[in-house]
Amino acid sequence: MANTTERVAVKSFSMLMISGLLASAALSAPIALAAPAALPKGEALKTLPGKSYDAAIPTLEQVVGYAFGEEITESRDIKRYFEALAKAAPDRVRLIPYGKSWQARPLYLAVIGAPETIARLDTVKSEMIRFADPRRSTPAEAQALREKLPAIIWLAHAVHGDEIGPGDAAMLTAYHLLAAKDDPATDKIRAEALVIINPVQNPDGRDRFIASTRSARGLTADASPLSAERDQPWPGGRFNHYVFDLNRDWFAQTQPETQAHNAAILSWMPLVLADIHEMGTEASYFFPPAADPANPMQTKAQMQARDRIGRSIAQAFDRDGLDYFTREVYDLFYPGYGDGWPSYLGAVTMTFEQGSARGLVARRRSGATLTFAETVKSQTTASLALALHAAENRRTLLSEFRAFRETAISQGRASPQRLRILREGARPGDAAKLAGLLARQGIEVGQAKGGFSACGKSFPAGTYVIDQAQPAGRMLAVLTNQKVDLDPAFAKEQERRRARGLPDQIYDVTAWSLPLLHNLAFTACRATPPADVTIIEADHARPGVVHNPSPKVAHLAPWGDGASARFLAAVLKAGHAVKSADAAFTLDGRRYPAGTLILDVEDNGGAAGAIEALARETGAELVGVNDSWVTDGPSFGSSRVLLMPSPRVAMAWDKPTGRTGAGAARFVLERKLGWPVTAIRGDRLRNADLSQVDVLILPAQEQDYIDMLEESGAKRLRDWVRAGGVLITLGDATRFVADPKAGLSALRREKLAIEDEKDALEKPKEDKDTVPGVILKSKDDLKKATTPFERGPDPVAGVLARASVDGEHWLGAGVEETVHALISGEDIYAPLRLDEGVNVASYEAASTLLASGYLWEENRKQLAFKPFVTAEGLGRGHIIAFTSDPTARGFLDGLDVLFANAVFRGAAHSGKPR
């Protein structure tokens, strides 16, 4: 920002108001110990000449007790302020609840518009939905709607809880829109637009941050970068309750906050959407145009609209003397961002990023200070500039939105993958979950009422069919196409940077195909979909199926999908006796996969009804059998049929675990599988008594586990495993067990493989103070001379890779032959030898390994046939290592059964006495 003078923090509050904003009332003394020192009583904030505000609209100070930007506002007080605005101007403000956070904090929208627009709000919504579907309105009707519909503007604030300015800017923006008088720009917004403000997308994270910063605050706000009030305790405020980065979850929709927010967006279909963030303290302000690469499914019209909007915001920033930058860092490639997902509905979306004070005041390296109030000011400036541009260009934006939806239909009709077919197959529950997830994106998903033929195949009733020739066709394509290519010029530039030893500019993962994430295959071709289908709802799920209820001998639950894993957790929690077969078997002419659950009637006397009810609740298939005569494979009494224990599961939590890695692992265990877990803080793990723990999970690490646990802690873990414990490592936590100092695993990380060793310079002996002289004849020679002697492969942003599973090992029971792992980072491990353990899942050959995404050629070659999952016996226990995290982001549904096997079957195969 354009502030270069050191100043007392509280005096910077005079920078609060944007052009046209007026301070309301005199500042009063602090209302709580945690509040900062105030301006002298009676000293009002300065106003801009000629501007005035409606006194009937309450200021923040009148409602909460301090002025805009003077304090960071808790989520409950933000809601209290919006309720006061709605009470003061009920004809212009409507508060609409849309969900709750994990911790039951309310999620809501503030809809602001002219009285005549608010009076017909339900009609506006329905008309916009009709306008968004060219199949439901003729061109003439669409033209009539274009003339009367407002420009629906969506301002989404504070998806990251420690990005604090946006939440307070939401209140200031609303105040200005309601209270500003004699201001032509605001009058234009009121007349032409409907502004929807989501004040806080992540209230749990916000309030966590506020609690930490206030608890560390002293006599005055401290600008030092060393200050505890700006140093967040683990996991920090950025994340939600389950430590998810919600700005990566928009299409995966694993969390209630994103599920509810996306449903709300679909019910309104905004024309423009700004996702309002903060970034590092040293930065100024970012708004569009975005950085490269852009997703190729972004339209030219959307890109041009972002450019126009960026120019409008730049004019406002120039007017107010605010620094900014564009076209750097923040791209539009990954569709899971807050400015990514809505764009495939047709909205013109963008990210705003303000350098954050991460408290009330921060000192930058230059010595200048950045205050919280200044961040509130610039966020409001950007939002109002966007709203004005949208109001002034309402008809253009409506026309381009309609054209986006029309061309999605025509392009879908011409696509070679117009018809996409998903069979229920062997994993009907998982297929239903994927179909329902697609429906939650606003995609029309049909379910065939009867059998049909298409793409040269026959399909049964119940098959899911999706026609890309629909208004959400681009959303369907971007989420289900196997691969979305980076722009060739951008990819070439990244290779050039790597060659020079520079970091790449890929911001996030380059692969996200939902069928691959769920390990389900689509059949696709250019064909017309069958007519006799039922369009499923967004909450679609497959109920459990019970065949032959109340059997005489046993219930069998075929193993291999998420529903069967949830069923196992449910029956164990209910105290029922469950066995599981290590190998496939045939009974009554049906082949049951390895891992199939067996619940003997005799062992569960009188519980048939309860067991069947749990199957229906979890979506599992349950088959009652009246005899146990197995014609192939292990019989029910075989040594290859194990009693499944109720494992006591713990996991590392807090430092040194990676925050999102720990959150995702816990989420998958607790919410997807339904199994409780004890979270143990990392600093207690070194000396923790694990005698009451059967399974210990080490999530991906943020710092080295060996540094926290030390060799003494590693020895305690080694002794615990020998006594029958199951140690599971996820992602780069595998570095810990592979560290020779830990003495736990034979796994070892590989350094970068050099294909032609002659091209590598000889490493000098360490005890020499000179090295042999070398004559460099070319730049290639210089590159060799400056390359580190030992280094790992270059890190990968995130790709989906194929891995083959050993189905004969109990860890691979019920898992499909090929799964897809999300590879990120630089870790590649050498395979275990036969006398060391088992490589249960290994990456495929270099020619077929890459399923989706952009992967460096050296990594592709070196990853071939290397382990994804290994199992080692140690004493009576086991060490199970996932070299890539199977729980990453909670969206790898296709790996849930493999992860469940590690937890439940790992415990069953250990020799730990209970």
Side-chain angles (χ1 to χ4, degrees):
M1 300 181 68
N3 172 25
T4 57
T5 305
E6 181 75 35
R7 66 188 76 173
V8 177
V10 72
K11 289 293 184 182
S12 67
F13 295 149
S14 62
M15 294 292 294
L16 163 61
M17 294 306 219
I18 67 164
S19 296
L21 291 182
L22 178 68
S24 56
L27 290 170
S28 61
I31 62 171
L33 290 176
L39 289 170
K41 189 173 182 179
E43 182 179 330
L45 297 174
K46 293 182 180 180
T47 64
L48 294 174
K51 300 294 181 181
S52 59
Y53 285 80
D54 185 352
I57 304 301
T59 65
L60 182 63
E61 184 175 16
Q62 290 170 330
V63 176
V64 177
Y66 50 79
F68 293 112
E70 188 179 7
E71 178 58 282
I72 309 163
T73 307
E74 294 180 61
S75 61
R76 63 182 178 181
D77 286 335
I78 293 177
K79 187 171 186 292
R80 187 153 61 99
Y81 182 64
F82 274 99
E83 288 171 341
L85 292 179
K87 182 177 180 180
D91 61 331
R92 289 171 285 159
V93 185
R94 185 82 56 84
L95 294 188
I96 301 175
Y98 71 86
K100 289 187 177 181
S101 70
W102 276 117
Q103 297 177 9
R105 288 182 174 88
L107 303 170
Y108 58 93
L109 305 172
V111 183
I112 299 175
E116 55 272 23
T117 305
I118 297 298
R120 58 186 296 270
L121 203 56
D122 291 340
T123 301
V124 169
K125 283 183 69 176
S126 62
E127 288 178 343
M128 189 62 196
I129 295 300
R130 190 156 61 94
F131 182 76
D133 191 345
R135 301 165 304 179
R136 296 175 55 186
S137 53
T138 66
E141 291 170 334
Q143 177 63 23
L145 288 170
R146 191 186 75 139
E147 293 304 313
K148 65 177 182 177
L149 279 171
I152 299 179
I153 302 161
W154 196 284
L155 303 176
H157 301 77
V159 72
H160 294 140
D162 62 351
E163 297 176 3
I164 46 180
D168 282 77
M171 297 186 290
L172 185 55
T173 300
Y175 173 73
H176 179 82
L177 290 172
L178 292 168
K181 297 167 62 177
D182 305 319
D183 181 39
T186 307
D187 291 342
K188 183 69 173 179
I189 296 170
R190 291 166 177 161
E192 301 287 342
L194 185 69
V195 180
I196 300 177
I197 296 175
N198 185 342
V200 185
Q201 299 177 71
N202 178 12
D204 295 351
R206 181 180 181 87
D207 288 353
R208 185 189 310 128
F209 173 83
I210 292 174
S212 72
T213 192
R214 287 185 180 177
S215 66
R217 194 181 296 167
L219 181 64
T220 60
D222 192 339
S224 170
L226 302 176
S227 172
E229 65 194 74
R230 302 178 66 248
D231 184 7
Q232 305 173 56
W234 192 100
R238 177 181 177 90
F239 311 104
N240 77 338
H241 171 78
Y242 265 101
V243 202
F244 269 64
D245 186 333
L246 297 178
N247 199 38
R248 303 295 184 273
D249 194 55
W250 280 64
F251 70 78
Q253 296 189 35
T254 67
Q255 303 299 293
E257 295 91 345
T258 47
Q259 291 174 9
H261 194 195
N262 288 9
I265 289 172
L266 285 167
S267 73
W268 286 94
M269 300 300 286
L271 298 180
V272 294
L273 182 149
D275 197 28
I276 303 174
H277 290 259
E278 288 185 335
M279 53 186 161
T281 300
E282 297 297 324
S284 58
Y285 199 100
F286 170 85
F287 49 75
D292 289 332
N295 193 294
M297 295 183 203
Q298 297 283 324
T299 67
K300 183 178 180 180
Q302 286 175 311
M303 302 298 284
Q304 291 174 338
R306 289 188 187 95
D307 187 79
R308 294 192 299 268
I309 290 169
R311 290 176 182 272
S312 294
I313 299 172
Q315 291 175 0
F317 273 53
D318 287 345
R319 180 193 64 216
D320 288 359
L322 301 172
D323 290 339
Y324 66 88
F325 68 95
T326 65
R327 296 174 289 101
E328 297 178 53
V329 184
Y330 303 104
D331 66 24
L332 284 167
F333 191 67
Y334 178 60
Y337 304 139
D339 70 344
W341 182 84
S343 68
Y344 302 101
L345 299 173
V348 178
T349 58
M350 63 210 71
T351 286
F352 292 165
E353 291 273 358
Q354 162 69 55
S356 180
R358 289 290 190 270
L360 291 177
V361 60
R363 184 165 59 249
R364 288 171 162 163
R365 287 193 295 267
S366 66
T369 56
L370 173 68
T371 67
F372 175 63
E374 289 173 296
T375 69
V376 173
K377 170 192 173 183
S378 42
Q379 295 283 27
T380 308
T381 299
S383 292
L384 293 177
L386 166 64
L388 177 60
H389 179 94
E392 291 176 335
N393 295 274
R394 177 181 66 85
R395 290 178 177 82
T396 298
L397 288 167
L398 281 163
S399 295
E400 291 177 348
F401 176 84
R402 174 76 176 199
F404 180 99
R405 309 283 286 183
E406 290 173 340
T407 56
I409 296 173
S410 59
Q411 289 181 11
R413 191 174 292 122
S415 170
Q417 300 184 76
R418 173 182 176 176
L419 178 61
R420 304 184 188 218
I421 303 170
L422 176 63
R423 296 188 62 161
E424 288 189 322
R427 296 164 53 204
D430 289 352
K433 182 177 181 181
L434 176 55
L437 176 58
L438 292 173
R440 285 213 306 267
Q441 322 284 335
I443 297 168
E444 289 181 0
V445 179
Q447 191 167 24
K449 295 180 181 178
F452 66 97
S453 296
C455 306
K457 300 179 182 179
S458 296
F459 299 93
T463 298
Y464 298 102
V465 292
I466 315 172
D467 185 1
Q468 191 175 328
Q470 59 172 290
R474 287 191 179 90
M475 180 72 80
L476 172 66
V478 79
L479 296 184
T480 63
N481 283 4
Q482 181 169 322
K483 190 175 181 182
V484 178
D485 290 325
L486 286 172
D487 177 73
F490 177 83
K492 183 178 180 180
E493 170 63 10
Q494 305 320 299
E495 296 289 359
R496 184 195 70 80
R497 292 177 64 85
R498 276 203 318 129
R500 294 201 59 197
L502 299 172
D504 67 70
Q505 298 167 311
I506 301 173
Y507 193 78
D508 205 86
V509 300
T510 59
W512 55 81
S513 171
L514 282 174
L516 296 181
L517 293 176
H518 288 247
N519 217 46
L520 292 166
F522 276 21
T523 299
C525 65
R526 182 179 292 170
T528 303
D532 197 12
V533 300
T534 300
I535 301 300
I536 67 171
E537 300 294 333
D539 59 355
H540 177 76
R542 182 182 185 272
V545 177
V546 178
H547 306 286
N548 189 30
S550 301
K552 295 178 181 179
V553 174
H555 288 98
L556 306 181
W559 185 250
D561 65 358
S564 61
R566 291 189 296 273
F567 174 70
L568 172 60
V571 293
L572 287 176
K573 283 195 297 186
H576 301 302
V578 190
K579 296 186 293 187
S580 179
D582 270 352
F585 62 89
T586 302
L587 189 150
D588 288 341
R590 175 170 176 173
R591 189 70 171 170
Y592 291 89
T596 291
L597 307 176
I598 303 167
L599 294 92
D600 290 331
V601 170
E602 184 68 24
D603 293 340
N604 294 286
I611 290 170
E612 291 165 3
L614 289 174
R616 294 187 180 96
E617 290 172 14
T618 58
E621 180 185 11
L622 200 61
V623 182
V625 295
N626 294 322
D627 70 69
S628 61
W629 185 253
V630 170
T631 58
D632 180 62
S635 299
F636 292 2
S638 168
S639 61
R640 291 187 292 167
V641 174
L642 290 81
L643 180 66
M644 300 297 285
S646 293
R648 298 163 295 183
V649 181
M651 65 177 290
W653 191 253
D654 209 326
K655 296 178 180 178
T657 66
R659 293 166 292 180
T660 55
R666 190 173 188 177
F667 171 78
V668 171
L669 274 166
E670 293 186 344
R671 298 295 174 171
K672 292 179 76 175
L673 300 180
W675 195 252
V677 58
T678 298
I680 304 174
R681 297 198 186 277
D683 60 358
R684 295 196 60 189
L685 193 58
R686 181 170 61 242
N687 299 308
D689 178 8
L690 297 178
S691 61
Q692 301 303 307
V693 173
D694 301 313
V695 178
L696 176 64
I697 299 168
L698 299 184
Q701 64 183 23
E702 203 162 86
Q703 302 166 4
D704 290 339
Y705 278 104
I706 193 67
D707 292 341
M708 174 72 77
L709 297 175
E710 301 177 341
E711 291 187 43
S712 62
K715 181 182 182 303
R716 290 174 66 87
L717 282 182
R718 189 164 61 248
D719 292 342
W720 171 78
V721 175
R722 287 185 182 279
V726 179
L727 181 63
I728 302 172
T729 62
L730 308 180
D732 60 9
T734 300
R735 292 184 180 188
F736 166 64
V737 294
D739 190 322
K741 294 193 294 290
L744 282 161
S745 171
L747 274 176
R748 293 294 181 266
R749 270 198 306 155
E750 295 185 346
K751 64 180 182 180
L752 177 66
I754 301 175
E755 287 192 87
D756 189 348
E757 292 292 343
K758 293 183 297 184
D759 290 342
L761 293 176
E762 182 180 353
K763 183 178 181 180
K765 294 181 180 180
E766 294 181 0
D767 60 350
K768 298 292 185 181
D769 59 359
T770 61
V771 297
V774 176
I775 296 175
L776 305 180
K777 299 180 179 180
S778 66
K779 288 185 177 180
D780 286 342
D781 287 346
L782 175 61
K783 180 180 177 182
K784 294 174 191 175
T786 56
T787 299
F789 288 107
E790 291 187 5
R791 66 184 181 96
D794 285 337
V796 176
V799 302
L800 287 167
R802 297 182 181 91
S804 299
V805 178
D806 179 0
E808 293 188 310
H809 191 275
W810 53 262
L811 191 52
V815 180
E816 295 184 339
E817 292 181 0
T818 302
V819 295
H820 297 91
L822 182 69
I823 294 179
S824 59
E826 61 193 60
D827 291 356
I828 300 175
Y829 288 83
L832 292 174
R833 297 183 181 276
L834 294 177
D835 59 345
E836 295 171 334
V838 180
N839 304 295
V840 180
S842 302
Y843 295 115
E844 291 191 357
S847 59
T848 60
L849 176 146
L850 182 62
S852 183
Y854 191 87
L855 181 63
W856 315 127
E857 182 67 10
E858 302 95 310
N859 298 64
R860 183 180 66 83
K861 291 178 179 178
Q862 191 169 344
L863 276 163
F865 304 113
K866 300 298 169 57
F868 165 43
V869 187
T870 63
E872 297 171 81
L874 182 61
R876 296 201 301 268
H878 293 88
I879 296 173
I880 300 171
F882 290 83
T883 63
S884 295
D885 189 351
T887 68
R889 300 190 179 182
F891 64 9
L892 288 157
D893 284 55
L895 298 178
D896 285 351
V897 171
L898 189 56
F899 183 57
N901 278 347
V903 174
F904 294 103
R905 302 187 69 76
H909 276 268
S910 77
K912 189 175 178 66
R914 293 175 180 82

